[in-house]
């Protein structure tokens, strides 16, 4: 099956710093999502981005499908950005949509210090 | 603000007991997923439904786990009998289209 590798595994930042998280995947995908799991355990969908670039406030993501990687950028980090960031991919098209068996990476644990 | 709801939020039980977890997907979503999260294995897909039909449950131990959707507003995950290794956080997610929305999870501890 598809392998998903995220780097770095851990990241400590000072508030206000910028960061880049990387996700490499081993095969072609038609679904790639980034999630944030906050310190209370809640998983929040950040981006659906199987290709191209998207931005949402201080967060942006780019996926280069032909080279099998995706990047998540966090600018001007805040303490509320702390948590674990997961990349998840799927290469399975279901009838009527692109939902499929998302395979999650191990995540990048981000700690933003005040 | 539509959300996926899960009950119970926490469950402590003894080995051998039956555990039932419930999920109410967001109204109008046609896909439902059950995931398990542990420190060792991370997030793993257990089962996946589309329009209430099970599409994939290959990630689920068949001898003790079962997942059903008796109607469009309820998904259940049962473990019988439970074992200490089942201790984990179980997430339900629902979606329509590309994005999955996760519930708050059920934290299960089997003693």
């Amino acid at each position: 099956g598809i392998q998903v590798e995220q780097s770095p595994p851990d990241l400590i930042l000072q508030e206000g710093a910028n960061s880049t998280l990387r996700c490499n995947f081993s095969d072609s995908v038609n679904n790639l999502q980034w999630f944030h799991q906050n310190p209370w355990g809640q998983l929040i969908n950040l981006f659906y981005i199987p290709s191209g670039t998207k931005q949402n406030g201080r967060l942006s993501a780019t996926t280069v499908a032909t080279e099998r990687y995706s990047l998540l950028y966090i600018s001007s980090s805040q303490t509320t950005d702390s948590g674990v960031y997961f990349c998840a991919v799927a290469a399975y098209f279901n009838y009527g949509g692109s939902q499929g068996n998302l395979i999650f990476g191990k995540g990048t644990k981000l700690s933003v210090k005040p | 603000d539509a959300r996926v709801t899960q009950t119970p939020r926490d469950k402590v039980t003894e080995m051998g007991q039956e555990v039932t977890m419930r999920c109410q997907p967001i109204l109008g979503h046609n896909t439902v997923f059950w995931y398990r999260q542990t420190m060792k294995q991370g997030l793993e897909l257990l089962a996946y439904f589309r329009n209430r039909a099970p599409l994939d449950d290959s990630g689920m131990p068949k001898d003790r786990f079962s997942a059903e959707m008796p109607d469009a507003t309820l998904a259940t995950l049962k473990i019988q009998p439970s074992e200490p290794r089942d201790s984990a956080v179980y997430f339900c997610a629902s979606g329509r289209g590309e994005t999955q929305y996760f519930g708050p999870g059920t934290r299960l501890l089997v003693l």
Side-chain angles (χ1 to χ4, degrees):
Chain A
I2 298 176
Q3 304 298 313
V4 183
E5 293 184 359
Q6 291 186 244
S7 60
D10 295 277
L11 185 59
I12 299 174
L13 296 176
Q14 205 64 36
E15 197 168 29
N18 302 328
S19 63
T20 301
L21 282 58
R22 187 177 180 101
C23 170
N24 292 332
F25 42 96
S26 61
D27 207 342
S28 299
V29 299
N30 52 33
N31 187 339
L32 188 147
Q33 300 185 36
W34 283 96
F35 294 86
H36 175 221
Q37 187 168 35
N38 66 25
W40 295 270
Q42 179 67 47
L43 277 155
I44 306 294
N45 187 287
L46 298 175
F47 293 104
Y48 165 75
I49 186 163
S51 64
T53 297
K54 289 186 177 178
Q55 180 158 6
N56 184 2
R58 295 181 297 102
L59 302 181
S60 63
T62 295
T63 298
V64 183
T66 53
E67 297 187 22
R68 299 181 184 170
Y69 73 88
S70 183
L71 303 174
L72 178 69
Y73 305 96
I74 305 174
S75 64
S76 303
S77 58
Q78 300 176 0
T79 56
T80 52
D81 295 330
S82 296
V84 182
Y85 289 81
F86 291 101
C87 169
V89 304
Y92 177 60
F93 250 106
N94 283 315
Y95 171 74
S98 59
Q99 289 278 12
N101 297 358
L102 281 181
I103 307 298
F104 281 75
K106 295 294 186 186
T108 291
K109 184 176 180 180
L110 175 64
S111 299
V112 181
K113 305 297 185 185
Chain B
D1 184 22
R3 297 184 183 187
V4 176
T5 58
Q6 291 187 245
T7 57
R9 294 293 307 274
D10 290 278
K11 176 74 175 179
V12 180
T13 190
E14 293 187 347
M15 182 173 63
Q17 297 298 305
E18 177 178 302
V19 175
T20 298
M21 290 169 269
R22 294 177 174 81
C23 167
Q24 182 173 11
I26 294 173
L27 189 65
H29 284 188
N30 64 340
T31 52
V32 173
F33 304 81
W34 283 104
Y35 291 91
R36 175 171 62 184
Q37 186 176 33
T38 61
M39 290 295 293
K40 186 175 181 181
Q41 299 294 332
L43 272 158
E44 306 172 280
L45 179 70
L46 296 176
Y48 164 29
F49 293 80
R50 176 180 289 277
N51 296 324
R52 295 177 54 203
L55 288 190
D56 191 333
D57 60 2
S58 58
M60 203 165 63
K62 301 292 191 304
D63 56 339
R64 298 184 299 108
F65 284 60
S66 62
E68 296 179 348
M69 279 201 74
D71 62 60
T73 65
L74 177 64
T76 63
L77 180 66
K78 291 185 180 180
I79 307 174
Q80 169 64 8
S82 57
E83 297 181 1
R85 59 179 168 156
D86 301 329
S87 298
V89 180
Y90 291 81
F91 287 100
C92 174
S94 72
R96 186 174 187 89
E98 305 90 2
T99 303
Q100 295 186 22
Y101 296 87
F102 280 72
T106 292
R107 189 180 302 272
L108 174 65
L109 178 60
V110 183
L111 301 174

